[in-house]
Amino acid sequence: MNIQNNDEKDKINKILHISFNQDNSCFSIGTENGFIIYKSNSPKICHETKMDGGIKHSEMYYNTNILGLIGGGEMPKFNPKKLIIWDDNEHKVISEIKFFSNLKNVKIRKDRIFAICDKNIYVFDMQTFENIEIINTRENPKGLLGINGNEYKIIIAYLEAFDNENTHKGSVMIKNYENQKGIQIIAQEDSITYLSINHEGTLLATSNEKGTIIKIHSCVNGDLLSQFKRGKEKAEIHCICFDKFSNFLAVTSDRGTIHVWSLGDVTEKVKNIKEIEEEDVKKIDQDNEEDDNRFGDIDSNEINIIEEKDDDIEINDLSDLPKNKKTIFGQLEKSFAQIRINSNKSICCFLKNYIIAVITYEGIYYQAQLDTKIGGNCQIILEEDLNI
C-alpha cells in the first residue's frame, strides 16, 4: 500500500469546493470542517472559520463578512437542502432558506441571491430574503448559472427548460434584469457542460458535451462571434473565465492543461456590442451614482485584511490583440497560450497584468504569466501548497 497516495487522497477529499468572489479579488474554499478565505493574488490565508461539519459551497458577498453557505461532504454542517446566510463577524446564521431538494449552487450579487436546484433557480431579495422569482430550467446537476461581474447590472445565463419537444438541448436563455429582456441562444449542438458570462454581460462562453468546443455568443443579439477547439479528447470542463476587459478567455479541465484564447477576432464585434449597450450603461451608472452603500441594511463590517490595497499598474486594454491559430478541424481556433499543471481539477481567474491565478482541488496555488504578444507556454512564476 502506498501511504503517500492515501495521504494525497485524504487531502483531495478535504476540499469540497472552490469559488471566487464577485470581482475575483478573493477566493473561498469549502472543506469538511468549515471554510477558508484567501486573497486571489496570494496563497496566504486571510481568514478561516472552523466548523464541526462540511461546507460544499461558500459564496462571498463581495469583500464582507456575509457569506452564502451550503452544507455538504461526509458530515454536512448544514442541511444540504438549506441555503445559509452567514455573518462571520458574529459567527451566526442571519437567515436560512429551505428547499425541496439539495442545493447545487448559489450566486450572490448586489441585491439578488440566486439559489440553483435541479430544475429551478430561486431568486431572492438580498435585503429581505424574500423569494421574488422562480426560473424553470432543464435538469441541472452541476448547478450551472452564468452571471456577469458588474455589480450595477445583472445579466444571467441558464439552461432553458424543456417546455416542449422543440427545445434544443444546447439552448441557453439570457436574462437582462435592467431592461427585463430575454433572448434564447442555441449555444451548442449538444448538451452544455459549462457556461460563463464576461464582466459587462455582453459575451457568453459555453462548452459542449465532450468539452472539446468552446463557443462565444453575444448576450445582446445571440450572434455566434467565435468558436475554439480545446482538443480532440473528451474532457470535463471545470472553469471558463474571461479577463475583466474581455481580451482573453481561459478554460480549465481534467486534462491537466489550462487553455487560453485571445479574443482579438471578436474585438470589433465587442465594440459594436458596447455601443449598443452604451445608453443603458449610462442610465444605470446615473441611477447608482449616489449609491455608496452596496450592502443595504445588512451589518457588513468588512474583513479588514481582504481590503488591503494593491497599487500594481493594471493593463486595461491591448490596442492590437494577437490572433489564435487555425486548426485543421475546419475553422476552429487553437488556444493562444497554455498553462501546464499537475492537476485534473482546478479553477482560475485573471489577476492584474495578465497573471493567471490557478487553484487546484489538491490544494496547490499557482500563478502563471501570460505573454500577451506571443502566447505559448505560460511561465509558472509561483507554486505553493495551501496546506489545507
Side-chain angles (χ1 to χ4, degrees):
M1 180 179 292
N2 190 320
I3 297 177
Q4 182 178 0
N5 287 342
N6 283 343
D7 289 342
E8 290 175 356
K9 183 176 180 181
D10 289 342
K11 185 175 182 180
I12 293 171
N13 289 338
K14 196 172 183 180
I15 296 178
L16 303 178
H17 190 264
I18 310 172
S19 63
F20 292 102
N21 70 341
Q22 292 80 359
D23 63 2
N24 291 333
S25 61
C26 302
F27 65 93
S28 59
I29 296 180
T31 72
E32 291 283 4
N33 56 2
F35 62 88
I36 311 169
I37 295 173
Y38 300 78
K39 289 194 72 174
S40 295
N41 63 2
S42 170
K44 306 301 181 185
I45 294 176
C46 64
H47 185 76
E48 181 174 10
T49 294
K50 295 283 190 180
M51 293 179 166
D52 57 350
I55 299 296
K56 76 171 182 180
H57 194 103
S58 56
E59 173 82 352
M60 296 180 66
Y61 186 40
Y62 298 88
N63 292 334
T64 74
N65 53 291
I66 306 300
L67 298 97
L69 304 179
I70 303 173
E74 293 184 3
M75 296 181 62
K77 169 61 178 176
F78 305 108
N79 184 338
K81 294 182 180 180
K82 289 183 178 181
L83 171 60
I84 302 299
I85 307 300
W86 178 263
D87 184 336
D88 206 53
N89 274 0
E90 300 293 331
H91 289 276
K92 69 177 184 180
V93 176
I94 58 177
S95 183
E96 61 178 56
I97 306 168
K98 189 172 182 179
F99 300 87
F100 292 107
S101 61
N102 287 356
L103 276 168
K104 304 297 183 182
N105 197 359
V106 59
K107 299 285 188 181
I108 302 176
R109 284 301 180 267
K110 181 183 176 184
D111 57 359
R112 294 286 186 273
I113 301 171
F114 297 85
I116 300 96
C117 294
D118 261 334
K119 293 185 178 181
N120 298 100
I121 298 170
Y122 297 86
V123 187
F124 298 88
D125 184 281
M126 185 61 196
Q127 307 306 322
T128 64
F129 308 119
E130 293 181 357
N131 182 216
I132 56 178
E133 184 182 12
I134 299 175
I135 301 172
N136 295 325
T137 72
R138 79 189 58 165
E139 190 172 350
N140 186 14
K142 292 184 177 181
L144 299 180
L145 176 69
I147 189 166
N148 68 309
N150 187 328
E151 67 178 287
Y152 291 121
K153 61 178 179 179
I154 300 176
I155 293 149
I156 66 170
Y158 59 91
L159 304 179
E160 184 182 13
F162 286 123
D163 291 332
N164 57 66
E165 60 183 14
N166 295 322
T167 304
H168 194 282
K169 61 182 178 180
S171 177
V172 173
M173 293 298 297
I174 304 289
K175 180 170 182 178
N176 186 323
Y177 276 82
E178 270 51 55
N179 58 27
Q180 293 299 316
K181 292 182 179 179
I183 62 170
Q184 179 199 52
I185 298 175
I186 307 300
Q188 293 284 350
E189 296 302 316
D190 53 14
S191 298
I192 292 167
T193 56
Y194 202 95
L195 51 80
S196 179
I197 293 181
N198 68 338
H199 179 78
E200 291 302 319
T202 55
L203 300 175
L204 167 71
T206 60
S207 60
N208 68 340
E209 190 170 7
K210 292 183 178 179
T212 55
I213 306 296
I214 310 297
K215 292 188 178 184
I216 310 293
H217 286 82
S218 163
C219 291
V220 176
N221 57 22
D223 285 354
L224 176 63
L225 303 179
S226 194
Q227 50 186 332
F228 306 134
K229 184 77 173 182
R230 188 209 54 80
K232 293 188 292 184
E233 300 297 326
K234 184 175 181 179
E236 183 177 358
I237 304 300
H238 295 300
C239 177
I240 299 178
C241 70
F242 294 86
D243 76 282
K244 183 176 180 180
F245 307 102
S246 301
N247 291 327
F248 293 94
L249 181 83
V251 175
T252 75
S253 72
D254 63 354
R255 306 298 293 184
T257 298
I258 299 163
H259 293 271
V260 182
W261 284 270
S262 167
L263 298 180
D265 287 343
V266 301
T267 300
E268 290 303 319
K269 298 172 184 177
V270 171
K271 287 180 180 178
N272 292 336
I273 293 170
K274 288 181 179 178
E275 289 175 2
I276 294 172
E277 292 282 279
E278 186 174 357
E279 291 305 317
D280 286 341
V281 171
K282 284 182 180 178
K283 184 179 184 303
I284 295 164
D285 289 343
Q286 288 171 358
D287 291 342
N288 290 280
E289 189 174 357
E290 298 180 358
D291 182 14
D292 293 327
N293 182 9
R294 66 167 61 160
F295 307 112
D297 297 328
I298 294 177
D299 179 12
S300 56
N301 297 318
E302 297 181 351
I303 302 173
N304 295 329
I305 194 165
I306 298 180
E307 292 300 308
E308 292 176 351
K309 293 184 178 179
D310 191 341
D311 296 326
D312 290 346
I313 298 172
E314 183 170 13
I315 302 173
N316 294 345
D317 239 345
L318 300 177
S319 57
D320 187 18
L321 284 171
K323 305 297 183 184
N324 304 301
K325 296 179 180 179
K326 299 296 182 183
T327 75
I328 60 174
F329 311 104
Q331 293 300 308
L332 300 182
E333 299 180 34
K334 290 178 64 176
S335 56
F336 170 72
Q338 305 81 35
I339 306 170
R340 306 188 190 281
I341 61 173
N342 183 26
S343 173
N344 61 8
K345 190 173 185 181
S346 63
I347 68 169
C348 69
C349 78
F350 288 86
L351 304 179
K352 291 184 177 181
N353 301 329
Y354 292 99
I355 293 172
I356 300 173
V358 182
I359 303 97
T360 76
Y361 276 68
E362 293 86 359
I364 306 298
Y365 174 95
Y366 294 91
Q367 284 187 8
Q369 178 65 66
L370 171 65
D371 188 319
T372 59
K373 294 186 180 297
I374 64 173
N377 288 330
C378 297
Q379 179 185 3
I380 302 292
I381 58 176
L382 180 62
E383 178 181 351
E384 191 162 332
D385 195 324
L386 294 175
N387 294 314
I388 296 174

